[in-house]
Amino acid sequence: MTTPDGDERHSRRLGTDESAVRRRSGGGAAGQHTVRRHNLALVLSEVAGPQPLSRAGVAARTGLTRGTVSSLVEELIGAGLVSELAATRGGPGRPASPLQLDPRGPAGLGLEVGVDAVGACVIDLTGAVRAQRTAPSDHREDAPDAGLLRVAALAREVVAEAGLPVAAATVALPGVVSADGVLERAPNLPRWVDVAVGEALRARLGGLPVRPGNEADLAALAERWAGGPPDVVVVSGGIGVGAGVLLDGRLFAGAGGRAGEIGHVVVEPDGRACHCGGRGCLETVAGLEALLRRAGAPDLDALAATHPDAVRAAGRALGIALAGAVHLLDVPAVVLGGAYPRCGPLLLDAVRAELDARVFSRSRVDVRFSTLGPDAALRGAATTVVQEVLADPGALIAGNGAGATELSS
Amino acid sequence: MTTPDGDERHSRRLGTDESAVRRRSGGGAAGQHTVRRHNLALVLSEVAGPQPLSRAGVAARTGLTRGTVSSLVEELIGAGLVSELAATRGGPGRPASPLQLDPRGPAGLGLEVGVDAVGACVIDLTGAVRAQRTAPSDHREDAPDAGLLRVAALAREVVAEAGLPVAAATVALPGVVSADGVLERAPNLPRWVDVAVGEALRARLGGLPVRPGNEADLAALAERWAGGPPDVVVVSGGIGVGAGVLLDGRLFAGAGGRAGEIGHVVVEPDGRACHCGGRGCLETVAGLEALLRRAGAPDLDALAATHPDAVRAAGRALGIALAGAVHLLDVPAVVLGGAYPRCGPLLLDAVRAELDARVFSRSRVDVRFSTLGPDAALRGAATTVVQEVLADPGALIAGNGAGATELSS
C-alpha cells in the first residue's frame, strides 16, 4: 500500500531506545503507556513499508532495542495486524523471518450512499480489495431510512464475503458533513437534512463505529493514496458535483469542514435553478443529469461522439468554476474523477482551454482524468479505516480488537 | 496593541525557571542561547499585554525568576524595546515600576505601491501611527522604476518625520507575490512582471530589509489585528479587487502563496475583457474603474444616490463571487474593505441578498464593511514589522539593532 506520508515515517520516532524514550516522557506509567502506543505505530509503519524487514531489521531502522521490538511485534501479531513468514537464510547468522501486514487482520469497511446507488467494500490491511458490491438505489424521493437500510444490508454481504474482522467503517455521502459527523444537507437528497448517518448505521451494524465523510473528500484522499499530486482539486462528477481539495497532501477543510463545494460555484448567473436553491451553479451545467438532459441522450459513453456541444459546454463550465478555485486556493493541479473520464478527451480539452484563457496567477494548471474509476470514494472510505489502524494500532488493541467477522443487524 | 494571538501568549512559556529550561533543552551554550531568545520574546509579550506589569509582575506571570526577568528586561531596555516608568507605591513592599513598550523604539515602516497611488507610514511598537503620507502616482503605463523611486522618496519623508529608528519595512503590492518575495504579476500594472520589489527598495533605502506582500493579504491581517473575526474573506476593493483569506486567524496561503485572487473569479462568462487576459472577472464589474465607467460618474461617494443600478450590479457580482468563495473555503464571514464602504448600504444589501440566495452550505454568512478605511493595507504592512519585532526581539538584538533614523538614498 502506498501511503502519502511514507516519507515522513521516521519523523514519528521518539528516541533511540526505550529507556531514553521513557526518560523524556516523564518516566511514569502514563508516559510508558503513551510511548508504547507510539512505538507500536512506529514498528507497524516499518512493517508496512516497501522493504520486507525482520525483527532485527525493524530494530536497526527504528533504533529500538531488539527486545523491545520483539515485544511490540508479539503484541501486533496477537492483535492480528502482523504475521511472520517462514525464516529464510539470506546470509551469515540466524535466519531472518520477514514480517508483513496480516491480510487476515482487521479490515476497513467502506460504504457509500450516493444519489442513486449504494456501495460497500472491504479493504484489508495490505490495501487489497477483498469484497465489493454496488447496487442501484435512488434516494432522491425517499426518507433516509430506506437508503440506510440498503447500505447496511450491502455492508453485511461484503463483510460476510470477505470473511475478515472489520475495524470500523467510513461512509461516503453526497453532501455537507459537519465536523461532528452529521450530514447537514445534500442538495440532491432533499429529505436528508441533519441526518446522524454514523449513529444510524452503527445501530444497524451491531455497534461497529461508522464515520461519515463527504464523497468528494474521500475520492480526493483515494487519489493521493494512489500516488496523485499533493496540491490538487479533485472534482467528483456525478448527478451532484463536488470536490476534495488537497494541500500538502492533506484534506483542506476550510473553517468548518465543508470546503470544496465546487458544484455550487456559479457559472451562469441567470442560469437554471439548482437543487441547492441557487441558480446557474456548476452542477446545473456539468452535473451528469444536466449533461444528459442537455444532450437528450440516455447515457454518457457515446456522448462526446453524438453530442459534442453538450460535452464542450460542461467542460467550459468546469473550466470557469475551476479558474475561480485556482485563483482562490492557488492549486497547480486538477483531477477530474467520478463519471467525467467517460466523457473523453473532448471534455479535458475544453477544461484546459478555459483554464489557459482565464488563470493569470499560474503559468499552467495541470488537468487530468482520474484513473481510479467511479468507486474512488468507496475505496477511499475503506482505506481511511485501514490508514487509521496503521497510524494508531494501540487504539485498536486498547479497544479489545476489531468488530466481529459477521455484523449483526 | 491588540494582537490576534494574545490569548496564546502563555503557550510560549518553556519552563518554570531558567535552570529547568536549560536542563530540558540540553544544557549547552546553544541551548541557553535559544532559551534566552525565547524568554526575551516571552517577557516582551507580557510587557505588551493589556495589564501594566513591573519586573516582579512579569516574573509572577511567566514563572521565570526575578533575577532572570531583570536581566532580560535590561536587555530589552538596551535595545530600545522597553522602558520603565517612574515607580509608584500601590501597596505594601517595594514600589513597583511599570514596564511598557518604548514608543521611541524600533518602528515598523509600511509602504504601498497601489495601481494609482503610493503610501508610506511608520507605526511604533505600541501600535501608534507616527507618520503617514500617501500621494497619487499612476503606475499603469510606467516601468517599475518610477513607482519604486516615488515610494522610496515617501519612505524617507515619513521616517524623517517620525524620528524613530526603523526595524524593517513591508511593502503592499496589488498583485501576485511569490513565496520568495517577487511580484510575479499585477493585472493592472502590465509592465510590472517578475519584479524583485524587496531587493530594489532595499537598495534605495540604505540596506533596510523590505519584504513585499499582497495588499489584500495585508489588509486582511490589519482587520484581524483590529479585532476582526478569525475565519473571514476580506475583500479589498480598488481599481483591482483582491482578497485576503484568514482561517483560524492566520493568512491562508493556498499551495503557493497566491490564494485569495477573488478579483479574477468569473461572474459573467461572456463579459468584458479583463486586464488579466480573462473575461468577465469580478474586477470587470465590481472594480472601481469598472463601477465608475458603468455609472458614467467621476467619483464614488454619491454613486449609490445617483446610480443605484451600478452599485447593485457590483454588489450582485461580489455576491456571486463570494458565494463561490464560501462554497470553496467554507468561511462564515466576509468583510468588504478598500473603497467599498464608500458605496454605502445599498452595496451591502445587494451582496447579502446574493449570498442568502446562493449559499446552501451555511445558514448565514456574516457580511460587513471594514471600518479601517482605505489605508488598511498600508497600516497592515507597518504592523507586520512591529509584530515580528515583538514575536522575536532576539533577532533584532542579534542583528545589532534596527535601521537608521534617517534612511540614506
Side-chain angles (χ1 to χ4, degrees):
Chain A
M1 184 183 311
T2 310
T3 65
D5 55 350
D7 294 338
E8 292 165 16
R9 184 176 304 147
H10 299 288
S11 65
R12 285 198 245 159
R13 182 177 148 189
L14 266 184
T16 53
D17 65 46
E18 196 169 34
S19 62
V21 170
R22 193 181 304 138
R23 209 164 45 237
R24 284 169 67 168
S25 49
Q32 280 186 48
H33 179 78
T34 308
V35 171
R36 189 167 179 87
R37 189 158 160 178
H38 199 104
N39 286 341
L40 279 168
L42 175 62
V43 168
L44 191 59
S45 74
E46 290 296 340
V47 172
Q51 202 182 332
L53 294 173
S54 65
R55 296 179 187 207
V58 171
R61 287 181 63 96
T62 58
L64 298 169
T65 65
R66 289 200 186 198
T68 300
V69 168
S70 270
S71 155
L72 294 165
V73 165
E74 291 301 335
E75 195 167 351
L76 293 168
I77 290 173
L81 295 166
V82 166
S83 57
E84 204 157 23
L85 300 178
T88 56
R89 182 173 292 279
R94 284 172 57 192
S97 303
L99 300 164
Q100 63 168 14
L101 293 173
D102 194 334
R104 301 157 305 178
L109 174 60
L111 305 175
E112 182 163 13
V113 179
V115 175
D116 60 355
V118 288
C121 84
V122 174
I123 291 184
D124 72 23
L125 286 174
T126 73
V129 177
R130 300 290 291 270
Q132 177 170 325
R133 297 187 190 184
T134 55
S137 176
D138 200 313
H139 309 117
R140 282 174 280 195
E141 307 291 329
D142 291 350
D145 269 358
L148 294 174
L149 205 66
R150 282 182 212 113
V151 78
L154 216 57
R156 283 191 292 272
E157 290 177 31
V158 292
V159 170
E161 184 185 333
L164 296 176
V166 169
T170 296
V171 55
L173 300 170
V176 171
V177 177
S178 69
D180 58 348
V182 169
L183 176 67
E184 294 180 342
R185 211 177 144 195
N188 291 292
L189 305 181
R191 297 182 64 184
W192 295 56
V193 177
D194 290 331
V195 185
V197 172
E199 276 176 42
L201 285 177
R202 181 178 189 138
R204 292 187 184 285
L205 294 174
L208 186 78
V210 182
R211 183 185 302 172
N214 174 272
E215 63 91 16
D217 285 352
L218 292 164
L221 287 173
E223 293 291 336
R224 180 67 182 143
W225 288 321
D231 297 300
V232 63
V233 174
V234 180
V235 183
S236 205
I239 293 173
V241 177
V245 178
L246 298 178
L247 292 177
D248 205 14
R250 277 179 285 266
L251 215 47
F252 169 66
R258 309 174 190 83
E261 286 292 345
I262 201 169
H264 305 281
V265 168
V266 181
V267 296
E268 292 182 352
D270 301 305
R272 289 181 80 96
C274 180
H275 291 298
C276 77
R279 185 167 287 284
C281 299
L282 173 63
E283 206 166 289
T284 65
V285 185
L288 285 204
E289 211 162 54
L291 189 54
L292 297 176
R293 189 197 316 111
R294 186 183 198 114
D299 95 49
L300 211 59
D301 291 308
L303 206 64
T306 58
H307 300 83
D309 286 353
V311 174
R312 273 193 213 101
R316 181 166 189 238
L318 274 165
I320 288 170
L322 283 165
V326 169
H327 282 130
L328 288 167
L329 300 161
D330 187 22
V331 280
V334 169
V335 170
L336 301 175
Y340 287 137
R342 289 165 62 199
C343 294
L346 191 65
L347 183 78
L348 213 52
D349 291 346
V351 174
R352 284 183 179 143
E354 211 66 32
L355 284 172
D356 286 349
R358 293 188 183 274
V359 171
F360 83 99
S361 61
R362 286 193 167 266
S363 52
R364 196 174 151 262
V365 179
D366 179 51
V367 185
R368 64 181 88 166
F369 280 139
S370 168
T371 57
L372 298 185
D375 303 319
L378 184 58
R379 304 283 183 91
T383 306
T384 57
V385 176
V386 173
Q387 292 287 336
E388 278 169 26
V389 171
L390 295 180
D392 189 8
L396 186 85
I397 292 167
N400 282 321
T405 302
E406 291 175 24
L407 300 174
S408 58
S409 59
Chain B
M1 183 181 311
T2 310
T3 64
D5 53 351
D7 294 339
E8 292 165 15
R9 186 176 303 148
H10 299 288
S11 65
R12 284 198 245 160
R13 182 176 149 191
L14 267 184
T16 52
D17 66 46
E18 198 169 32
S19 64
V21 170
R22 193 181 303 139
R23 206 163 48 236
R24 284 170 67 168
S25 48
Q32 280 187 48
H33 180 79
T34 308
V35 170
R36 189 166 180 87
R37 189 158 161 179
H38 199 104
N39 285 341
L40 279 168
L42 175 62
V43 168
L44 191 59
S45 75
E46 289 296 340
V47 172
Q51 201 182 333
L53 294 173
S54 65
R55 295 179 187 208
V58 171
R61 287 181 63 96
T62 59
L64 298 169
T65 67
R66 288 198 185 200
T68 300
V69 168
S70 270
S71 156
L72 294 165
V73 165
E74 291 300 335
E75 194 168 352
L76 293 168
I77 289 174
L81 295 165
V82 165
S83 58
E84 205 157 22
L85 300 179
T88 55
R89 183 173 291 279
R94 286 171 57 191
S97 302
L99 300 164
Q100 63 168 15
L101 293 174
D102 193 335
R104 300 157 306 177
L109 174 59
L111 304 175
E112 182 163 13
V113 179
V115 176
D116 61 355
V118 288
C121 85
V122 173
I123 290 184
D124 73 22
L125 286 174
T126 73
V129 178
R130 299 290 290 272
Q132 177 170 326
R133 296 186 190 185
T134 55
S137 175
D138 200 311
H139 309 116
R140 279 173 283 194
E141 307 291 329
D142 292 349
D145 270 357
L148 295 174
L149 207 66
R150 281 183 212 111
V151 78
L154 215 59
R156 283 190 292 273
E157 290 177 32
V158 293
V159 170
E161 183 185 335
L164 296 176
V166 168
T170 296
V171 54
L173 300 170
V176 170
V177 177
S178 70
D180 57 348
V182 170
L183 177 66
E184 295 180 342
R185 212 176 145 195
N188 291 293
L189 305 181
R191 297 183 64 184
W192 295 57
V193 177
D194 291 331
V195 185
V197 173
E199 276 176 41
L201 285 177
R202 181 177 189 140
R204 293 186 185 284
L205 294 175
L208 186 78
V210 182
R211 184 185 302 172
N214 175 272
E215 64 91 15
D217 285 352
L218 292 165
L221 287 174
E223 292 292 336
R224 180 68 182 141
W225 287 322
D231 297 300
V232 63
V233 174
V234 179
V235 183
S236 203
I239 293 173
V241 177
V245 178
L246 298 178
L247 293 178
D248 205 15
R250 277 180 284 267
L251 214 48
F252 169 66
R258 310 174 189 83
E261 287 291 345
I262 201 170
H264 305 280
V265 168
V266 182
V267 296
E268 292 182 353
D270 300 307
R272 289 181 81 95
C274 180
H275 292 297
C276 77
R279 186 168 286 284
C281 298
L282 173 62
E283 206 165 289
T284 66
V285 184
L288 285 205
E289 213 162 53
L291 190 54
L292 296 176
R293 189 197 315 114
R294 187 184 198 111
D299 97 49
L300 211 60
D301 291 310
L303 206 64
T306 58
H307 299 84
D309 286 354
V311 173
R312 272 193 213 102
R316 181 166 188 239
L318 274 165
I320 288 170
L322 283 165
V326 169
H327 282 129
L328 288 167
L329 300 161
D330 187 23
V331 281
V334 169
V335 169
L336 301 176
Y340 286 136
R342 290 163 62 200
C343 294
L346 192 63
L347 183 78
L348 213 52
D349 291 347
V351 174
R352 284 183 178 141
E354 211 65 33
L355 283 171
D356 286 349
R358 293 189 183 274
V359 172
F360 84 97
S361 60
R362 286 193 166 268
S363 52
R364 196 175 150 262
V365 179
D366 179 51
V367 186
R368 63 181 89 167
F369 280 139
S370 169
T371 56
L372 298 185
D375 304 319
L378 184 58
R379 304 283 184 89
T383 306
T384 57
V385 176
V386 173
Q387 292 286 336
E388 277 169 27
V389 171
L390 295 180
D392 188 9
L396 186 84
I397 291 167
N400 282 321
T405 303
E406 292 175 23
L407 301 174
S408 59
S409 61

